[in-house]
Amino acid sequence: MNDSSELGENRGPFLALEGMDGSGKTTQVGLLSKWLISKNLKFTVAREPGSTATGEAIRGIVQESLDLNIPSETELLLYLAARSVFVQEVVVPVLDRGEIFLTDRFSMSTLAYQGYARGLDLTELHRLNNFASGGLNADLYLVLDIPAELSRERLALSNKEKDRLELSGTDFMQKVRLGYLDVSRKMKNAVVIDGTETPEIIHLKIIEILTREMPATFGV
Ligand code: TYD
């Protein structure tokens, strides 16, 4: 795995948390942030789509405007449009300062949701992901894996308004899950974590992975 600091590059480490809706990413981003603060490490947290004014406006269209007809191709381009501004405005400046960047979702979401679940061509998606991110990818993807049924149950229990993708049903989420598992198997910088464990156990597992895979940054 690529520990940027160990390779002697100036670029900071780029971490992405991934997983289905309800997999606990947001909880883990919070726990990891507290841990990074306790280690005195400089970092920035963001989420996709969003984190820029343009990205939040796109988020409003693609996720919250439930009355709009949005074909899969349009949905893809909206997520990618949000990604390009996200990379330029938010990610690159942090990495250029040599600091840690932690994001709730990145390019792997596009493969799982628009590729495996919506059925868009994966080769094309790799190409477009690359275009949108200017060739930038996360150094490490932490993928929280839960069964589709648990995703549905957790979403049903939360008070949050369901967005367009969360309303897509269990079959859709099952495809998303299989997508994440398949992509993770093919990538050398992805680690799948059992998301059915308690938040504390998952957090410890994440720390263990970070200190193992990127010791120069996280092992201190
Ligand atoms: P999510 O990260 O779950 O945010 P919230 O906490 O507000 O629910 O929502 C993002 C949704 O966007 C999620 O359903 C997955 C979807 N998505 C894609 O389909 N493709 C993408 O490329 C990205 C980044 C997200």
Side-chain angles (χ1 to χ4, degrees):
M1 233 160 264
N2 177 14
D3 188 338
S4 315
S5 42
E6 276 190 328
L7 291 174
E9 295 167 6
N10 292 326
R11 173 159 111 51
F14 181 3
L15 309 175
L17 260 113
E18 288 277 1
M20 281 192 290
D21 305 270
S23 61
K25 288 177 290 92
T26 312
T27 304
Q28 290 306 322
V29 167
L31 292 172
L32 189 51
S33 298
K34 282 193 191 143
W35 184 76
L36 291 170
I37 291 168
S38 77
K39 302 283 276 181
N40 263 330
L41 289 166
K42 284 205 171 141
F43 70 100
T44 297
V45 179
R47 67 163 185 182
E48 255 218 279
S51 305
T52 65
T54 309
E56 293 295 336
I58 294 172
R59 186 182 181 95
I61 299 171
V62 72
Q63 289 189 195
E64 285 141 33
S65 308
L66 300 180
D67 50 333
L68 295 180
N69 168 38
I70 303 185
S72 301
E73 291 77 5
T74 309
E75 178 182 276
L76 166 70
L77 293 170
L78 288 167
Y79 281 117
L80 293 177
R83 177 153 317 127
S84 59
V85 64
F86 176 70
V87 167
Q88 291 178 41
E89 272 187 23
V90 183
V91 188
V92 169
V94 174
L95 297 182
D96 277 351
R97 290 199 298 273
E99 295 173 11
I100 300 163
F101 188 76
L102 171 61
T103 178
D104 188 335
R105 298 193 182 281
F106 198 59
S107 301
M108 206 192 249
S109 286
T110 312
L111 299 175
Y113 284 80
Q114 280 67 52
Y116 288 80
R118 292 279 191 234
L120 296 180
D121 182 67
L122 287 171
T123 309
E124 192 71 6
L125 290 191
H126 279 290
R127 202 174 64 78
L128 290 168
N129 260 343
N130 212 42
F131 174 74
S133 70
L136 185 69
N137 213 338
D139 296 314
L140 181 61
Y141 283 97
L142 298 161
V143 183
L144 298 182
D145 176 53
I146 56 167
E149 196 52 37
L150 183 57
S151 160
R152 201 187 56 77
E153 280 168 26
R154 286 185 179 172
L155 289 178
L157 283 175
S158 74
N159 300 323
K160 202 173 105 307
E161 293 264 313
K162 308 280 171 292
D163 68 37
R164 231 166 35 82
L165 282 102
E166 289 165 349
L167 288 166
S168 299
T170 311
D171 284 356
F172 181 84
M173 283 302 164
Q174 176 63 8
K175 290 183 191 160
V176 172
R177 181 191 192 189
L178 296 178
Y180 270 124
L181 293 177
D182 199 42
V183 177
S184 301
R185 264 193 297 273
K186 292 176 182 156
M187 283 172 62
K188 51 182 189 319
N189 59 337
V191 184
V192 177
I193 299 163
D194 181 356
T196 65
E197 296 281 7
T198 63
E200 292 73 25
I201 288 178
I202 297 170
H203 175 58
L204 291 177
K205 180 83 197 156
I206 288 176
I207 303 302
E208 183 195 313
I209 294 165
L210 292 180
T211 44
R212 185 184 67 222
E213 301 295 343
M214 297 174 144
T217 309
F218 299 108
V220 286

